[in-house]
Amino acid sequence: AQSVTQPDIHITVSEGASLELRCNYSYGATPYLFWYVQSPGQGLQLLLKYFSGDTLVQGIKGFEAEFKRSQSSFNLRKPSVHWSDAAEYFCAVDLKRGGSQGNLIFGKGTKLSVKP
Amino acid sequence: DTEVTQTPKHLVMGMTNKKSLKCEQHMGHRAMYWYKQKAKKPPELMFVYSYEKLSINESVPSRFSPECPNSSLLNLHLHALQPEDSALYLCASSQARASSYTGELFFGEGSRLTVL
Protein backbone atom coordinates (compact mmCIF):
# COMPACT_ATOMS: atom_id res chain seq x y z
CA ALA A 1 0.00 0.00 0.00
CA GLN A 2 1.05 3.54 -0.64
CA SER A 3 2.43 5.30 2.41
CA VAL A 4 4.40 8.29 3.56
CA THR A 5 6.73 8.05 6.53
CA GLN A 6 8.07 10.91 8.55
CA PRO A 7 10.26 9.23 11.16
CA ASP A 8 10.69 12.26 13.40
CA ILE A 9 7.62 13.21 15.42
CA HIS A 10 9.19 16.24 17.10
CA ILE A 11 12.41 18.13 16.38
CA THR A 12 13.86 21.04 18.32
CA VAL A 13 16.52 23.25 16.79
CA SER A 14 18.14 26.49 17.85
CA GLU A 15 17.35 29.63 15.94
CA GLY A 16 19.92 30.08 13.20
CA ALA A 17 20.77 26.39 13.05
CA SER A 18 20.22 24.26 9.99
CA LEU A 19 17.25 21.94 9.65
CA GLU A 20 16.50 18.70 7.86
CA LEU A 21 13.14 16.95 8.06
CA ARG A 22 12.97 13.44 6.69
CA CYS A 23 10.32 11.92 4.46
CA ASN A 24 10.17 8.50 2.80
CA TYR A 25 7.43 7.24 0.55
CA SER A 26 6.26 3.89 -0.67
CA TYR A 27 4.69 3.98 -4.10
CA GLY A 28 4.95 2.00 -7.32
CA ALA A 29 5.95 4.91 -9.49
CA THR A 30 7.37 8.33 -8.80
CA PRO A 31 4.47 10.26 -7.32
CA TYR A 32 4.00 13.95 -7.03
CA LEU A 33 5.69 14.96 -3.76
CA PHE A 34 4.92 17.90 -1.52
CA TRP A 35 5.82 19.56 1.73
CA TYR A 36 3.10 21.50 3.54
CA VAL A 37 3.36 23.55 6.72
CA GLN A 38 0.61 24.05 9.28
CA SER A 39 0.75 26.65 12.01
CA PRO A 40 -1.40 26.02 15.12
CA GLY A 41 -5.10 26.34 14.40
CA GLN A 42 -4.47 27.08 10.76
CA GLY A 43 -4.91 25.38 7.42
CA LEU A 44 -2.00 24.06 5.41
CA GLN A 45 0.31 26.04 3.15
CA LEU A 46 2.39 24.55 0.36
CA LEU A 47 6.15 24.98 0.85
CA LEU A 48 7.36 23.19 -2.28
CA LYS A 49 6.68 20.33 -4.65
CA TYR A 50 8.39 17.87 -6.96
CA PHE A 51 6.89 16.51 -10.15
CA SER A 52 9.89 15.70 -12.32
CA GLY A 53 13.17 17.14 -13.53
CA ASP A 54 15.71 18.76 -11.25
CA THR A 55 15.77 16.76 -8.05
CA LEU A 56 16.59 19.77 -5.88
CA VAL A 57 13.57 22.03 -5.59
CA GLN A 58 13.30 25.43 -4.03
CA GLY A 59 10.29 26.60 -2.11
CA ILE A 60 8.99 29.51 -0.16
CA LYS A 61 10.46 30.86 3.08
CA GLY A 62 13.95 29.66 2.19
CA PHE A 63 13.11 25.94 2.20
CA GLU A 64 14.43 23.40 -0.26
CA ALA A 65 13.97 19.67 -0.72
CA GLU A 66 15.86 16.96 -2.54
CA PHE A 67 14.22 14.00 -4.25
CA LYS A 68 16.29 10.81 -4.16
CA ARG A 69 14.68 8.06 -6.17
CA SER A 70 17.10 5.38 -4.96
CA GLN A 71 16.16 6.09 -1.36
CA SER A 72 12.47 6.93 -2.00
CA SER A 73 13.10 10.07 0.00
CA PHE A 74 12.12 13.71 -0.22
CA ASN A 75 13.83 15.48 2.67
CA LEU A 76 13.16 19.10 3.53
CA ARG A 77 16.02 21.43 4.43
CA LYS A 78 16.61 24.98 5.55
CA PRO A 79 20.10 26.41 6.19
CA SER A 80 19.08 28.79 8.97
CA VAL A 81 15.89 28.39 10.97
CA HIS A 82 13.89 31.38 12.19
CA TRP A 83 11.61 31.37 15.22
CA SER A 84 8.63 31.83 12.91
CA ASP A 85 9.35 28.44 11.34
CA ALA A 86 7.98 26.68 14.42
CA ALA A 87 5.02 24.69 13.07
CA GLU A 88 3.93 21.22 11.97
CA TYR A 89 5.41 20.01 8.70
CA PHE A 90 3.71 17.41 6.55
CA CYS A 91 5.17 15.50 3.67
CA ALA A 92 2.54 14.38 1.17
CA VAL A 93 2.16 12.23 -1.91
CA ASP A 94 -0.37 12.75 -4.66
CA LEU A 95 -1.60 9.40 -5.88
CA LYS A 96 -2.95 10.90 -9.11
CA ARG A 97 -6.18 8.95 -8.94
CA GLY A 98 -9.61 9.64 -10.32
CA GLY A 99 -8.55 11.82 -13.22
CA SER A 100 -8.06 14.83 -11.02
CA GLN A 101 -5.02 15.38 -8.93
CA GLY A 102 -4.93 16.62 -5.40
CA ASN A 103 -5.64 13.27 -3.78
CA LEU A 104 -3.02 13.65 -1.11
CA ILE A 105 -1.75 11.09 1.35
CA PHE A 106 -0.01 12.83 4.23
CA GLY A 107 2.72 11.63 6.52
CA LYS A 108 2.07 11.87 10.25
CA GLY A 109 3.88 15.15 10.46
CA THR A 110 6.94 16.52 12.23
CA LYS A 111 6.49 19.19 14.82
CA LEU A 112 9.29 21.74 14.73
CA SER A 113 10.15 23.73 17.83
CA VAL A 114 12.72 26.54 17.68
CA LYS A 115 14.83 27.52 20.66
CA PRO A 116 15.89 31.17 20.97
CA ASP B 1 -4.93 35.91 3.66
CA THR B 2 -6.39 32.56 2.72
CA GLU B 3 -8.42 32.53 -0.48
CA VAL B 4 -10.51 29.60 0.69
CA THR B 5 -13.07 30.68 3.24
CA GLN B 6 -14.68 28.23 5.62
CA THR B 7 -17.63 28.86 7.91
CA PRO B 8 -18.23 28.46 10.72
CA LYS B 9 -14.79 28.42 12.32
CA HIS B 10 -16.15 26.57 15.32
CA LEU B 11 -19.23 24.38 15.66
CA VAL B 12 -20.59 22.47 18.61
CA MET B 13 -23.43 20.07 17.95
CA GLY B 14 -25.30 17.27 19.60
CA MET B 15 -25.58 13.81 18.13
CA THR B 16 -29.13 14.44 16.94
CA ASN B 17 -28.47 17.80 15.29
CA LYS B 18 -28.23 18.59 11.61
CA LYS B 19 -25.66 21.18 10.64
CA SER B 20 -23.60 22.18 7.63
CA LEU B 21 -20.06 23.32 7.00
CA LYS B 22 -19.50 25.72 4.14
CA CYS B 23 -16.53 26.46 1.93
CA GLU B 24 -16.09 29.09 -0.74
CA GLN B 25 -13.32 29.93 -3.17
CA HIS B 26 -13.09 32.47 -5.98
CA MET B 27 -9.87 31.36 -7.64
CA GLY B 28 -11.64 29.63 -10.52
CA HIS B 29 -10.59 26.23 -9.28
CA ARG B 30 -12.70 23.34 -10.51
CA ALA B 31 -11.56 20.76 -7.94
CA MET B 32 -12.59 21.00 -4.31
CA TYR B 33 -11.86 18.73 -1.38
CA TRP B 34 -12.89 17.89 2.15
CA TYR B 35 -10.23 16.65 4.54
CA LYS B 36 -10.69 15.57 8.16
CA GLN B 37 -7.92 16.18 10.69
CA LYS B 38 -8.05 14.71 14.16
CA ALA B 39 -5.91 16.24 16.89
CA LYS B 40 -2.19 15.62 16.40
CA LYS B 41 -2.89 13.63 13.22
CA PRO B 42 -2.41 14.37 9.52
CA PRO B 43 -5.33 15.38 7.34
CA GLU B 44 -7.26 12.50 5.77
CA LEU B 45 -9.07 12.84 2.47
CA MET B 46 -12.85 12.48 2.63
CA PHE B 47 -14.26 13.70 -0.68
CA VAL B 48 -13.10 15.15 -3.98
CA TYR B 49 -15.28 17.10 -6.38
CA SER B 50 -14.09 17.69 -9.91
CA TYR B 51 -16.18 19.99 -12.11
CA GLU B 52 -18.93 19.87 -9.49
CA LYS B 53 -19.15 16.10 -9.68
CA LEU B 54 -18.15 13.79 -6.86
CA SER B 55 -15.08 11.93 -8.09
CA ILE B 56 -13.75 10.39 -4.91
CA ASN B 57 -15.48 9.28 -1.73
CA GLU B 58 -13.06 7.66 0.66
CA SER B 59 -15.64 5.33 2.22
CA VAL B 60 -16.94 8.09 4.44
CA PRO B 61 -19.99 7.21 6.58
CA SER B 62 -23.30 8.44 5.22
CA ARG B 63 -23.77 10.78 8.19
CA PHE B 64 -21.43 13.04 6.20
CA SER B 65 -23.05 14.27 3.01
CA PRO B 66 -21.11 16.52 0.63
CA GLU B 67 -22.64 18.90 -1.83
CA CYS B 68 -21.12 21.09 -4.53
CA PRO B 69 -23.89 23.47 -5.68
CA ASN B 70 -21.61 25.42 -8.01
CA SER B 71 -17.95 25.79 -8.90
CA SER B 72 -17.25 28.16 -6.00
CA LEU B 73 -19.08 26.46 -3.17
CA LEU B 74 -18.66 23.23 -1.28
CA ASN B 75 -20.83 22.12 1.60
CA LEU B 76 -20.57 19.28 4.07
CA HIS B 77 -23.88 18.33 5.64
CA LEU B 78 -23.69 16.69 9.03
CA HIS B 79 -26.35 14.52 10.63
CA ALA B 80 -26.39 12.09 13.54
CA LEU B 81 -22.68 12.48 14.17
CA GLN B 82 -20.75 10.67 16.86
CA PRO B 83 -18.33 12.18 19.39
CA GLU B 84 -15.45 10.53 17.53
CA ASP B 85 -16.31 12.73 14.54
CA SER B 86 -14.99 15.72 16.46
CA ALA B 87 -12.13 17.10 14.37
CA LEU B 88 -10.89 19.96 12.24
CA TYR B 89 -12.55 19.80 8.83
CA LEU B 90 -10.44 21.34 6.10
CA CYS B 91 -11.65 22.45 2.72
CA ALA B 92 -9.23 22.83 -0.16
CA SER B 93 -9.33 23.69 -3.82
CA SER B 94 -7.06 23.28 -6.80
CA GLN B 95 -6.96 23.41 -10.56
CA ALA B 96 -8.54 20.31 -11.96
CA ARG B 97 -7.42 19.74 -15.52
CA ALA B 98 -4.24 17.71 -15.80
CA SER B 99 -2.62 20.16 -18.18
CA SER B 100 -3.10 23.09 -15.82
CA TYR B 101 -2.51 21.25 -12.55
CA THR B 102 0.25 22.91 -10.55
CA GLY B 103 0.12 20.56 -7.62
CA GLU B 104 -0.92 23.15 -5.11
CA LEU B 105 -3.93 22.69 -2.93
CA PHE B 106 -5.18 25.87 -1.32
CA PHE B 107 -6.53 25.12 2.13
CA GLY B 108 -8.96 27.05 4.23
CA GLU B 109 -8.33 27.52 7.94
CA GLY B 110 -10.80 24.81 8.79
CA SER B 111 -13.97 24.36 10.78
CA ARG B 112 -13.38 22.90 14.22
CA LEU B 113 -16.26 20.57 15.03
CA THR B 114 -17.12 19.28 18.48
CA VAL B 115 -19.82 16.62 18.81
CA LEU B 116 -21.28 16.24 22.28
Side-chain angles (χ1 to χ4, degrees), chain A residues 34 38 49 94 97 101 107, chain B residues 33 37 42 58 101-103 105:
Chain A
F34 305 85
Q38 185 177 32
K49 65 194 178 200
D94 186 333
R97 292 178 298 155
Q101 292 81 359
Chain B
Y33 312 81
Q37 186 177 25
E58 291 287 16
Y101 180 63
T102 66
L105 265 62

Side-chain angles (χ1 to χ4, degrees), chain A residues 98-111:
Chain A
S100 68
Q101 292 81 359
N103 315 151
L104 299 181
I105 302 297
F106 287 89
K108 292 188 176 181
T110 298
K111 182 177 179 179

Side-chain angles (χ1 to χ4, degrees), chain A residues 21-38:
Chain A
L21 302 182
R22 295 181 289 166
C23 173
N24 292 93
Y25 67 90
S26 172
Y27 187 58
T30 299
Y32 294 162
L33 294 160
F34 305 85
W35 277 98
Y36 279 84
V37 61
Q38 185 177 32

Side-chain angles (χ1 to χ4, degrees), chain A:
Chain A
Q2 300 89 352
S3 66
V4 180
T5 302
Q6 293 180 246
D8 303 307
I9 296 173
H10 189 184
I11 285 182
T12 300
V13 300
S14 298
E15 191 168 14
S18 63
L19 170 70
E20 182 169 29
L21 302 182
R22 295 181 289 166
C23 173
N24 292 93
Y25 67 90
S26 172
Y27 187 58
T30 299
Y32 294 162
L33 294 160
F34 305 85
W35 277 98
Y36 279 84
V37 61
Q38 185 177 32
S39 297
Q42 301 292 311
L44 285 80
Q45 181 183 23
L46 179 69
L47 285 176
L48 46 74
K49 65 194 178 200
Y50 174 79
F51 283 8
S52 64
D54 192 345
T55 57
L56 185 63
V57 293
Q58 303 297 320
I60 62 171
K61 303 184 181 185
F63 285 93
E64 66 177 26
E66 185 172 13
F67 169 64
K68 293 185 177 180
R69 186 188 307 274
S70 61
Q71 298 176 18
S72 297
S73 69
F74 189 55
N75 294 347
L76 182 71
R77 300 194 293 248
K78 186 169 185 178
S80 177
V81 169
H82 187 263
W83 64 267
S84 60
D85 294 324
E88 189 90 24
Y89 290 80
F90 292 100
C91 181
V93 162
D94 186 333
L95 300 183
K96 299 181 276 187
R97 292 178 298 155
S100 68
Q101 292 81 359
N103 315 151
L104 299 181
I105 302 297
F106 287 89
K108 292 188 176 181
T110 298
K111 182 177 179 179
L112 174 65
S113 297
V114 180
K115 292 190 299 186

Side-chain angles (χ1 to χ4, degrees), chain B residues 48-66:
Chain B
V48 181
Y49 274 83
S50 181
Y51 295 96
E52 295 85 68
K53 289 186 175 12
L54 184 64
S55 62
I56 291 181
N57 176 341
E58 291 287 16
S59 302
V60 179
S62 60
R63 57 186 184 269
F64 295 93
S65 175

